[in-house]
Amino acid sequence: MTGNAGTGGGAFVMVRDLCRIYVMGEVRVKALSNVSFDISKKPAEFVAIMGKSGSGKSTLLHQLGLLDTPTSGEVIIDGKNLLVLSESRKARFRLERFGYVFQEYALLPELTALENVYLPAMALGRKKEEYIRAAREVLEQVGLGERLHHRPREMSGGEQQRVAIARALINKPDILFADEPAANLDSASSGQVLELFRKLNREMGLTILMVTHEPEDRNYVDRVIWLKDGEIAEHGT
Amino acid sequence: MLSDIRLSMFLAQKSITKGNKGTLVLTIFIMALVFVNSVFVSSLFLGLTNTINEQMINTMYGTVVIEPKKDEKYVDGVYSLKQKISSVPGVTGVSAQYVTGAVLSYKDKSGAWSVHSINPDDEVTVTTIHNFMIDGEYLGKQDENEIMLGKEISGGYGGDDEDSSLGVKVGDTIDVLFNNGVKRSYRVKGIFGVNFRGADATAYVSQKEMASILGMEDKASQILIRTWDIGNEDRYVKQFLGLGVSETIKPWQNYASMVGDITESFDVIAMLISGIGLFVAGVTIFIIIYMNTISKRRQIGISRAVGIKESVIINTYFLQAMFIVTCGIVAGLLIMFSLVVPWFVSHPLDFSIGKISLLILPERVSISAISLVIAAVIAGLVPSIMAVRETIVEAMWGN
Ligand SMILES: Nc1ncnc2c1ncn2[C@@H]1O[C@H](COP(=O)(O)OP(=O)(O)OP(=O)(O)O)[C@@H](O)[C@H]1O
Ligand SMILES: [Mg+2]
């Protein structure tokens, strides 16, 4: 965590009039329209994005996480207008300040757990002893100290997801983006993941944006942003 | 940046060592075969050209030829000229020849060929015909009523012009009508076959004999010179000029203009064939890397999502292509020099112009290697550049 909250009085995360229109030939799908909200840093929030299937949850997360480019609108994080950055600056920003956890684990199959985890640290140009030590630490933190040299296919879904979380944490990000991180897990593993998120948020001040469709996940989060047909809704339906 | 290169190397290494070994080995093997093909074709054509050149030197011209001055029919003062030339370091043989046309006939068959007169003692220092006697014997210095024929003239030994040959054997007597009207009969003393049509269509008599036919002394139609080395003819020509030789001096290449044209055509054909081979190799690497990137599309998406630079990802594929092509070239060199070359050395191809082996020139091998590397790099880069050009979301979840 770089610690310092936003400059110039704005919130840590400011989303303004975000629109994302998918154009497929003749058809235009308005996946997000005029979405605006703030997320504050003090204290760090654990936010859930909820809504029906197709309501635009993943799309919203991709825009905030700089994985996709919105049709219009602004995303300002820590005082920086991110959408004007070049692709390589965006990549650098993702590497330094964002962590991602996806529904389908998204590990590189040719790398061991340890290698998957230290890859982003290696990409930052850190020293070898340093990133290996950091990777061991985060793997222990997610309870996988014993699985360092396993390849993804030698691990259970829950274990793979925790490796993915460890990878998201290695560069000490400011924000963790998670798209249905527990959807493929049994209830025990899914509980572990959510507990871990809760703990990371509380103890380390990590801002977390998590897409979920499980109503009971509301128990873990500080706030829910509801989406309906690509727009912010008052509350769930 | 160093850390970017290190990261690319790390990812490439993992992809190679932990990826599908079968595909990797197959790809390297294809590279190796393409490389072998390209080197083989150009070396074979070079070998062919080389054999033709050697045949010209060994059986017809030596390395440098002295011809009469312009507008003159003969070289004069042969004796002193021969001495001058022999004194040049590196000259290993000098042979003066009269060359004249003649009609040779036997029973009802006849034909026009060129007859050379030689001093056999001199001639063996320049040409190697004496090593290729098929029947009978080489001419002797004192032979007067004897003639030596190439197999295209005698017939009976599988020449190219068997139909127009005389059909004579050693010991038969043939009639020769020289261009100046003199007519003589000769016993066939020997028949030679060097497997080079121009040389095998020549008849030889001794110098002593020719002198009596033409009534000339100390003259020659041409003086053949053999030097210790091949390829430095221009230097020898300069030296001969420096010694005051005022006759026309021609290196053997001047007689090779027709061969030169053929050689050029060979080069074009060789380039075409290796070009096609390279194209196939390029397409193969392209398909393999393309399949690889397609199957790794999600992984590329994941790596980019995590924040790995596009250039690092492209370099990863570039390094893999370099690795594959390097292994392919090394394997190709192994196949070439441990199997193909030794085999050809012990089993040269027996063509009508002589035995053809492979002539491997390092610069040609390098050209093949460099072309293969270029093909591989392009084939490796294009699909990976295509893969990083789609959006991360498309790469990770698109179909
Ligand atoms: N790449 C795309 N091209 C075209 N339309 C898309 C694309 N991605 C999403 N959409 C459309 O945009 C809308 C929002 O999709 P999104 O994936 O954000 O929904 P979601 O809320 O994440 O749904 P789920 O709960 O099923 O994951 C949907 O109507 C979807 O069909
Ligand atoms: Mg979704």
Side-chain angles (χ1 to χ4, degrees):
Chain A
M1 280 154 293
T2 37
N4 299 340
T7 50
F12 182 56
V13 176
M14 294 195 289
V15 179
R16 293 291 174 270
D17 297 323
L18 207 59
C19 292
R20 178 64 168 100
I21 298 168
Y22 291 110
V23 182
M24 293 157 39
E26 299 288 290
V27 190
R28 292 160 56 89
V29 180
K30 208 163 188 196
L32 289 179
S33 57
N34 300 310
V35 171
S36 302
F37 60 86
D38 287 353
I39 294 174
S40 64
K41 181 77 182 170
K42 286 175 180 170
E45 287 192 86
F46 183 2
V47 180
I49 300 170
M50 299 183 91
K52 281 198 293 211
S53 179
S55 57
K57 306 183 293 293
S58 297
T59 304
L60 177 59
L61 204 72
H62 297 157
Q63 314 310 309
L64 299 184
L66 300 182
L67 301 180
D68 191 20
T69 310
T71 312
S72 64
E74 285 185 339
V75 175
I76 295 161
I77 294 180
D78 203 7
K80 281 200 191 67
N81 185 351
L82 298 185
L83 301 180
V84 299
L85 297 181
S86 69
E87 279 307 313
S88 60
R89 300 292 303 278
K90 281 184 190 170
R92 189 74 190 176
F93 202 90
R94 287 198 298 270
L95 185 64
E96 287 176 350
R97 310 194 57 172
F98 291 170
Y100 302 87
V101 180
F102 303 105
Q103 183 177 337
E104 345 68 351
Y105 323 139
L107 299 175
L108 300 185
E110 286 146 5
L111 305 187
T112 63
L114 189 70
E115 290 163 346
N116 262 294
V117 172
Y118 70 56
L119 191 64
M122 203 177 168
L124 263 191
R126 288 164 71 177
K127 285 210 200 70
K128 185 164 184 179
E129 315 82 64
E130 209 178 293
Y131 62 64
I132 289 182
R133 182 165 24 84
R136 283 173 182 277
E137 270 172 30
V138 276
L139 276 165
E140 263 157 37
Q141 202 178 348
V142 300
L144 286 176
E146 307 293 304
R147 295 279 186 278
L148 302 181
H149 303 294
H150 286 234
R151 302 259 297 270
R153 61 180 150 78
E154 299 159 349
M155 289 184 283
S156 75
E159 286 169 337
Q160 289 184 54
Q161 196 59 305
R162 281 184 281 152
V163 173
I165 294 168
R167 179 181 62 190
L169 297 176
I170 182 118
N171 284 346
K172 303 201 182 310
D174 296 326
I175 307 179
L176 181 71
F177 296 98
D179 194 346
E180 310 204 28
N184 286 352
L185 305 179
D186 61 31
S187 58
S189 307
S190 117
Q192 270 181 336
V193 166
L194 289 162
E195 286 294 352
L196 184 60
F197 279 6
R198 176 79 279 182
K199 197 171 133 212
L200 290 168
N201 170 253
R202 287 280 153 79
E203 294 176 10
M204 318 203 56
L206 181 64
T207 300
I208 302 178
L209 261 84
M210 177 178 78
V211 170
T212 178
H213 60 253
E214 291 292 336
E216 53 271 34
D217 289 356
R218 268 187 282 173
N219 302 328
Y220 293 92
V221 303
D222 301 319
R223 173 151 74 111
V224 176
I225 292 174
W226 292 95
L227 281 181
K228 189 176 180 227
D229 297 332
E231 292 179 37
I232 301 271
E234 278 310 306
H235 49 75
T237 42
Chain B
M1 269 200 328
L2 209 65
S3 62
D4 286 351
I5 293 166
R6 203 177 50 169
L7 185 58
S8 297
M9 278 173 44
F10 172 77
L11 289 171
Q13 182 221 327
K14 289 295 167 184
S15 186
I16 288 163
T17 57
K18 309 289 177 192
N20 188 325
K21 294 276 193 320
T23 318
L24 182 70
V25 170
L26 191 70
T27 318
I28 290 174
F29 187 62
I30 292 169
M31 294 298 104
L33 289 188
V34 170
F35 181 67
V36 167
N37 175 56
S38 147
V39 171
F40 177 79
V41 169
S42 66
S43 306
L44 187 64
F45 281 115
L46 282 172
L48 187 58
T49 316
N50 192 45
T51 299
I52 294 174
N53 291 344
E54 279 181 352
Q55 288 278 40
M56 288 186 50
I57 291 170
N58 288 337
T59 68
M60 295 181 75
Y61 299 108
T63 46
V64 181
V65 179
I66 294 186
E67 288 187 355
K69 288 174 193 150
K70 225 172 150 230
D71 302 327
E72 285 188 21
K73 202 153 181 257
Y74 296 104
V75 177
D76 281 318
V78 170
Y79 181 76
S80 69
L81 205 53
K82 271 169 66 177
Q83 283 197 320
K84 264 191 213 166
I85 291 164
S86 301
S87 72
V88 171
V91 171
T92 56
V94 183
S95 176
Q97 299 186 340
Y98 284 117
V99 180
T100 177
V103 174
L104 282 62
S105 48
Y106 177 72
K107 293 186 180 161
D108 56 339
K109 291 194 165 184
S110 69
W113 282 281
S114 76
V115 179
H116 292 218
S117 74
I118 53 171
N119 174 346
D121 294 346
D122 288 345
E123 182 70 14
V124 296
T125 63
V126 176
T127 64
T128 58
I129 292 173
H130 55 283
N131 293 331
F132 295 90
M133 299 308 296
I134 304 174
D135 199 7
E137 284 168 44
Y138 198 70
L139 282 181
K141 196 171 181 178
Q142 302 302 328
D143 291 343
E144 291 190 7
N145 299 312
E146 297 190 293
I147 193 166
M148 182 171 78
L149 304 177
K151 70 176 184 183
E152 299 289 353
I153 304 178
S154 70
Y157 298 100
D160 294 324
D161 303 321
E162 200 67 24
D163 291 345
S164 51
S165 67
L166 294 178
V168 295
K169 300 220 157 28
V170 168
D172 293 336
T173 299
I174 62 169
D175 293 324
V176 178
L177 174 61
F178 291 94
N179 278 0
N180 66 354
V182 176
K183 188 172 176 175
R184 302 246 166 131
S185 291
Y186 293 102
R187 177 185 166 271
V188 176
K189 186 180 187 190
I191 296 171
F192 64 88
V194 295
N195 284 334
F196 197 53
R197 193 194 287 200
D200 286 340
T202 306
Y204 288 91
V205 296
S206 72
Q207 201 132 58
K208 198 173 169 197
E209 175 63 18
M210 191 71 96
S212 83
I213 296 161
L214 301 174
M216 294 188 297
E217 284 290 344
D218 209 23
K219 288 177 190 279
S221 313
Q222 58 183 20
I223 299 175
L224 308 187
I225 301 163
R226 182 70 194 239
T227 53
W228 174 80
D229 45 348
I230 295 173
N232 296 317
E233 288 74 20
D234 290 345
R235 204 186 72 217
Y236 286 107
V237 169
K238 268 197 201 118
Q239 277 181 283
F240 299 151
L241 287 171
L243 285 173
V245 176
S246 55
E247 278 73 13
T248 311
I249 308 174
K250 291 183 178 174
W252 64 272
Q253 288 92 339
N254 283 31
Y255 299 91
S257 61
M258 187 200 72
V259 179
D261 291 347
I262 296 178
T263 310
E264 269 173 33
S265 328
F266 286 162
D267 278 349
V268 172
I269 296 171
M271 265 159 56
L272 265 175
I273 296 179
S274 19
I276 293 169
L278 282 175
F279 182 73
V280 172
V283 171
T284 310
I285 310 180
F286 184 87
I287 291 173
I288 289 169
I289 295 192
Y290 188 70
M291 298 306 269
N292 196 13
T293 41
I294 291 293
S295 70
K296 294 213 171 132
R297 191 176 170 208
R298 248 199 98 227
Q299 291 187 45
I300 291 176
I302 294 167
S303 309
R304 288 171 62 200
V306 163
I308 300 199
K309 276 194 259 180
E310 292 173 7
S311 60
V312 169
I313 292 167
I314 293 171
N315 278 339
T316 302
Y317 285 87
F318 168 78
L319 288 172
Q320 288 183 62
M322 287 301 285
F323 175 81
I324 290 170
V325 76
T326 307
C327 288
I329 289 171
V330 170
L333 287 172
L334 280 177
I335 295 174
M336 198 69 204
F337 289 102
S338 69
L339 296 174
V340 180
V341 171
W343 194 88
F344 262 85
V345 166
S346 52
H347 304 86
L349 294 173
D350 212 344
F351 282 5
S352 64
I353 55 152
K355 290 198 184 334
I356 312 288
S357 192
L358 300 178
L359 178 64
I360 298 190
L361 295 183
E363 58 265 34
R364 293 299 186 98
V365 177
S366 315
I367 289 175
S368 296
I370 291 167
S371 326
L372 194 61
V373 168
I374 292 171
V377 165
I378 293 173
L381 282 184
V382 170
S384 46
I385 289 172
M386 276 160 54
V388 297
R389 271 181 51 184
E390 53 178 7
T391 70
I392 296 172
V393 174
E394 267 166 13
M396 286 187 74
W397 296 287
N399 37 34

Short mmCIF file of all heavy atoms in Angstrom, two decimals, chain B residues 64-97:
data_model
loop_
_atom_site.label_atom_id
_atom_site.label_comp_id
_atom_site.label_asym_id
_atom_site.label_seq_id
_atom_site.Cartn_x
_atom_site.Cartn_y
_atom_site.Cartn_z
N VAL B 64 45.81 -22.17 -66.80
CA VAL B 64 46.02 -20.98 -67.63
C VAL B 64 46.43 -21.46 -69.03
O VAL B 64 47.13 -22.45 -69.16
CB VAL B 64 47.13 -20.07 -67.05
CG1 VAL B 64 47.32 -18.82 -67.93
CG2 VAL B 64 46.81 -19.66 -65.62
N VAL B 65 45.94 -20.76 -70.06
CA VAL B 65 46.24 -21.16 -71.43
C VAL B 65 46.87 -19.98 -72.16
O VAL B 65 46.43 -18.84 -72.01
CB VAL B 65 44.95 -21.58 -72.17
CG1 VAL B 65 45.28 -21.99 -73.61
CG2 VAL B 65 44.25 -22.71 -71.44
N ILE B 66 47.94 -20.29 -72.91
CA ILE B 66 48.54 -19.25 -73.75
C ILE B 66 48.14 -19.53 -75.19
O ILE B 66 48.31 -20.65 -75.69
CB ILE B 66 50.07 -19.22 -73.61
CG1 ILE B 66 50.37 -18.78 -72.17
CG2 ILE B 66 50.70 -18.28 -74.64
CD1 ILE B 66 51.82 -18.57 -71.89
N GLU B 67 47.55 -18.54 -75.81
CA GLU B 67 47.10 -18.69 -77.20
C GLU B 67 47.89 -17.74 -78.09
O GLU B 67 48.53 -16.81 -77.60
CB GLU B 67 45.60 -18.37 -77.29
CG GLU B 67 44.73 -19.44 -76.67
CD GLU B 67 43.25 -19.18 -76.91
OE1 GLU B 67 42.91 -18.13 -77.48
OE2 GLU B 67 42.45 -20.05 -76.53
N PRO B 68 47.82 -17.97 -79.41
CA PRO B 68 48.57 -17.08 -80.32
C PRO B 68 48.13 -15.63 -80.16
O PRO B 68 47.01 -15.36 -79.73
CB PRO B 68 48.17 -17.60 -81.71
CG PRO B 68 47.72 -18.99 -81.48
CD PRO B 68 47.12 -19.03 -80.12
N LYS B 69 49.06 -14.73 -80.56
CA LYS B 69 48.70 -13.31 -80.56
C LYS B 69 47.54 -13.11 -81.50
O LYS B 69 47.31 -13.92 -82.40
CB LYS B 69 49.88 -12.47 -81.08
CG LYS B 69 51.02 -12.39 -80.11
CD LYS B 69 52.19 -11.66 -80.77
CE LYS B 69 53.43 -11.84 -79.94
NZ LYS B 69 54.66 -11.82 -80.74
N LYS B 70 46.88 -12.01 -81.30
CA LYS B 70 45.77 -11.69 -82.18
C LYS B 70 46.24 -11.70 -83.64
O LYS B 70 47.34 -11.26 -83.94
CB LYS B 70 45.23 -10.29 -81.84
CG LYS B 70 43.72 -10.25 -81.76
CD LYS B 70 43.22 -8.90 -81.22
CE LYS B 70 41.85 -8.61 -81.83
NZ LYS B 70 41.76 -7.27 -82.41
N ASP B 71 45.43 -12.23 -84.52
CA ASP B 71 45.74 -12.28 -85.95
C ASP B 71 46.86 -13.25 -86.30
O ASP B 71 47.32 -13.27 -87.44
CB ASP B 71 46.11 -10.89 -86.51
CG ASP B 71 44.98 -9.91 -86.26
OD1 ASP B 71 43.80 -10.37 -86.27
OD2 ASP B 71 45.27 -8.73 -86.02
N GLU B 72 47.34 -14.01 -85.32
CA GLU B 72 48.34 -15.02 -85.69
C GLU B 72 47.76 -16.40 -85.46
O GLU B 72 46.85 -16.59 -84.66
CB GLU B 72 49.61 -14.83 -84.87
CG GLU B 72 50.40 -13.63 -85.37
CD GLU B 72 51.76 -13.52 -84.72
OE1 GLU B 72 52.25 -14.53 -84.20
OE2 GLU B 72 52.29 -12.39 -84.71
N LYS B 73 48.33 -17.38 -86.19
CA LYS B 73 47.75 -18.71 -86.11
C LYS B 73 48.44 -19.56 -85.05
O LYS B 73 47.85 -20.45 -84.48
CB LYS B 73 47.86 -19.39 -87.49
CG LYS B 73 46.87 -20.51 -87.67
CD LYS B 73 46.51 -20.73 -89.14
CE LYS B 73 45.50 -21.87 -89.24
NZ LYS B 73 46.08 -23.11 -89.69
N TYR B 74 49.72 -19.28 -84.81
CA TYR B 74 50.48 -20.10 -83.89
C TYR B 74 51.26 -19.27 -82.88
O TYR B 74 51.57 -18.11 -83.11
CB TYR B 74 51.46 -20.99 -84.67
CG TYR B 74 50.77 -21.98 -85.57
CD1 TYR B 74 50.71 -21.77 -86.96
CD2 TYR B 74 50.14 -23.10 -85.03
CE1 TYR B 74 50.06 -22.67 -87.78
CE2 TYR B 74 49.48 -24.00 -85.86
CZ TYR B 74 49.45 -23.78 -87.22
OH TYR B 74 48.79 -24.67 -88.02
N VAL B 75 51.56 -19.91 -81.80
CA VAL B 75 52.48 -19.33 -80.83
C VAL B 75 53.88 -19.69 -81.30
O VAL B 75 54.15 -20.85 -81.63
CB VAL B 75 52.24 -19.95 -79.43
CG1 VAL B 75 53.25 -19.40 -78.42
CG2 VAL B 75 50.82 -19.71 -78.98
N ASP B 76 54.73 -18.66 -81.36
CA ASP B 76 56.11 -18.91 -81.81
C ASP B 76 57.05 -19.05 -80.62
O ASP B 76 56.73 -18.62 -79.52
CB ASP B 76 56.60 -17.74 -82.68
CG ASP B 76 56.03 -17.86 -84.08
OD1 ASP B 76 56.02 -18.99 -84.60
OD2 ASP B 76 55.57 -16.82 -84.61
N GLY B 77 58.21 -19.58 -80.88
CA GLY B 77 59.24 -19.67 -79.85
C GLY B 77 58.78 -20.46 -78.64
O GLY B 77 58.96 -20.02 -77.50
N VAL B 78 58.15 -21.59 -78.91
CA VAL B 78 57.54 -22.36 -77.83
C VAL B 78 58.57 -22.82 -76.80
O VAL B 78 58.34 -22.75 -75.60
CB VAL B 78 56.80 -23.58 -78.43
CG1 VAL B 78 56.36 -24.54 -77.35
CG2 VAL B 78 55.61 -23.11 -79.24
N TYR B 79 59.72 -23.21 -77.27
CA TYR B 79 60.71 -23.78 -76.37
C TYR B 79 61.10 -22.78 -75.27
O TYR B 79 61.06 -23.07 -74.08
CB TYR B 79 61.93 -24.25 -77.16
CG TYR B 79 62.99 -24.87 -76.30
CD1 TYR B 79 62.82 -26.17 -75.81
CD2 TYR B 79 64.14 -24.16 -75.94
CE1 TYR B 79 63.77 -26.75 -74.99
CE2 TYR B 79 65.10 -24.73 -75.11
CZ TYR B 79 64.92 -26.03 -74.64
OH TYR B 79 65.85 -26.59 -73.83
N SER B 80 61.43 -21.54 -75.72
CA SER B 80 61.88 -20.57 -74.71
C SER B 80 60.70 -20.11 -73.85
O SER B 80 60.85 -19.84 -72.66
CB SER B 80 62.56 -19.38 -75.39
OG SER B 80 61.59 -18.63 -76.10
N LEU B 81 59.52 -20.06 -74.47
CA LEU B 81 58.32 -19.65 -73.72
C LEU B 81 58.06 -20.65 -72.59
O LEU B 81 57.77 -20.28 -71.44
CB LEU B 81 57.14 -19.61 -74.69
CG LEU B 81 55.97 -18.70 -74.36
CD1 LEU B 81 56.46 -17.29 -74.11
CD2 LEU B 81 54.98 -18.70 -75.54
N LYS B 82 58.17 -21.93 -72.93
CA LYS B 82 57.94 -22.96 -71.93
C LYS B 82 58.92 -22.83 -70.77
O LYS B 82 58.57 -23.00 -69.60
CB LYS B 82 58.10 -24.36 -72.58
CG LYS B 82 56.80 -24.89 -73.17
CD LYS B 82 57.02 -26.11 -74.04
CE LYS B 82 57.51 -27.32 -73.25
NZ LYS B 82 57.63 -28.51 -74.13
N GLN B 83 60.15 -22.49 -71.11
CA GLN B 83 61.16 -22.36 -70.05
C GLN B 83 60.85 -21.18 -69.14
O GLN B 83 60.94 -21.28 -67.92
CB GLN B 83 62.53 -22.21 -70.68
CG GLN B 83 63.04 -23.56 -71.16
CD GLN B 83 64.52 -23.54 -71.40
OE1 GLN B 83 65.04 -22.54 -71.94
NE2 GLN B 83 65.21 -24.61 -71.03
N LYS B 84 60.46 -20.07 -69.78
CA LYS B 84 60.09 -18.88 -68.99
C LYS B 84 58.97 -19.22 -68.01
O LYS B 84 59.03 -18.93 -66.81
CB LYS B 84 59.56 -17.78 -69.92
CG LYS B 84 60.58 -16.76 -70.34
CD LYS B 84 59.84 -15.61 -71.02
CE LYS B 84 60.70 -15.01 -72.12
NZ LYS B 84 59.94 -14.13 -73.01
N ILE B 85 57.94 -19.85 -68.56
CA ILE B 85 56.75 -20.12 -67.75
C ILE B 85 57.07 -21.10 -66.62
O ILE B 85 56.66 -20.91 -65.48
CB ILE B 85 55.63 -20.67 -68.66
CG1 ILE B 85 55.13 -19.55 -69.57
CG2 ILE B 85 54.48 -21.22 -67.83
CD1 ILE B 85 54.32 -20.04 -70.73
N SER B 86 57.87 -22.12 -66.94
CA SER B 86 58.20 -23.11 -65.93
C SER B 86 58.95 -22.49 -64.76
O SER B 86 58.92 -23.01 -63.64
CB SER B 86 59.08 -24.21 -66.53
OG SER B 86 58.38 -24.82 -67.58
N SER B 87 59.62 -21.37 -65.02
CA SER B 87 60.42 -20.77 -63.95
C SER B 87 59.56 -20.05 -62.92
O SER B 87 60.04 -19.70 -61.86
CB SER B 87 61.43 -19.78 -64.56
OG SER B 87 60.73 -18.63 -65.02
N VAL B 88 58.30 -19.83 -63.26
CA VAL B 88 57.44 -19.11 -62.30
C VAL B 88 57.07 -20.04 -61.15
O VAL B 88 56.60 -21.15 -61.37
CB VAL B 88 56.16 -18.60 -63.00
CG1 VAL B 88 55.18 -18.05 -61.98
CG2 VAL B 88 56.50 -17.56 -64.05
N PRO B 89 57.31 -19.62 -59.91
CA PRO B 89 56.97 -20.48 -58.77
C PRO B 89 55.47 -20.79 -58.77
O PRO B 89 54.66 -19.91 -59.03
CB PRO B 89 57.34 -19.64 -57.55
CG PRO B 89 58.20 -18.54 -58.04
CD PRO B 89 57.89 -18.34 -59.49
N GLY B 90 55.15 -22.05 -58.53
CA GLY B 90 53.74 -22.42 -58.49
C GLY B 90 53.29 -23.10 -59.77
O GLY B 90 52.27 -23.77 -59.79
N VAL B 91 54.06 -22.92 -60.85
CA VAL B 91 53.71 -23.61 -62.10
C VAL B 91 54.21 -25.05 -61.99
O VAL B 91 55.38 -25.29 -61.73
CB VAL B 91 54.35 -22.90 -63.31
CG1 VAL B 91 54.18 -23.73 -64.57
CG2 VAL B 91 53.71 -21.53 -63.49
N THR B 92 53.30 -26.01 -62.15
CA THR B 92 53.71 -27.41 -61.98
C THR B 92 53.73 -28.18 -63.29
O THR B 92 54.19 -29.31 -63.32
CB THR B 92 52.76 -28.13 -61.01
OG1 THR B 92 51.43 -27.99 -61.50
CG2 THR B 92 52.84 -27.55 -59.61
N GLY B 93 53.21 -27.57 -64.36
CA GLY B 93 53.26 -28.29 -65.62
C GLY B 93 53.01 -27.36 -66.79
O GLY B 93 52.26 -26.38 -66.66
N VAL B 94 53.66 -27.62 -67.92
CA VAL B 94 53.45 -26.83 -69.13
C VAL B 94 53.40 -27.81 -70.30
O VAL B 94 54.25 -28.69 -70.40
CB VAL B 94 54.61 -25.84 -69.36
CG1 VAL B 94 54.33 -24.97 -70.58
CG2 VAL B 94 54.83 -24.96 -68.14
N SER B 95 52.37 -27.68 -71.14
CA SER B 95 52.28 -28.59 -72.27
C SER B 95 51.84 -27.83 -73.51
O SER B 95 50.79 -27.20 -73.52
CB SER B 95 51.28 -29.71 -71.96
OG SER B 95 51.11 -30.55 -73.08
N ALA B 96 52.68 -27.89 -74.54
CA ALA B 96 52.34 -27.21 -75.80
C ALA B 96 51.59 -28.18 -76.70
O ALA B 96 51.91 -29.36 -76.74
CB ALA B 96 53.62 -26.73 -76.48
N GLN B 97 50.56 -27.68 -77.37
CA GLN B 97 49.76 -28.54 -78.24
C GLN B 97 49.54 -27.88 -79.61
O GLN B 97 49.39 -26.67 -79.70
CB GLN B 97 48.37 -28.79 -77.62
CG GLN B 97 48.38 -29.48 -76.29
CD GLN B 97 46.96 -29.80 -75.83
OE1 GLN B 97 46.00 -29.22 -76.32
NE2 GLN B 97 46.86 -30.76 -74.91
#
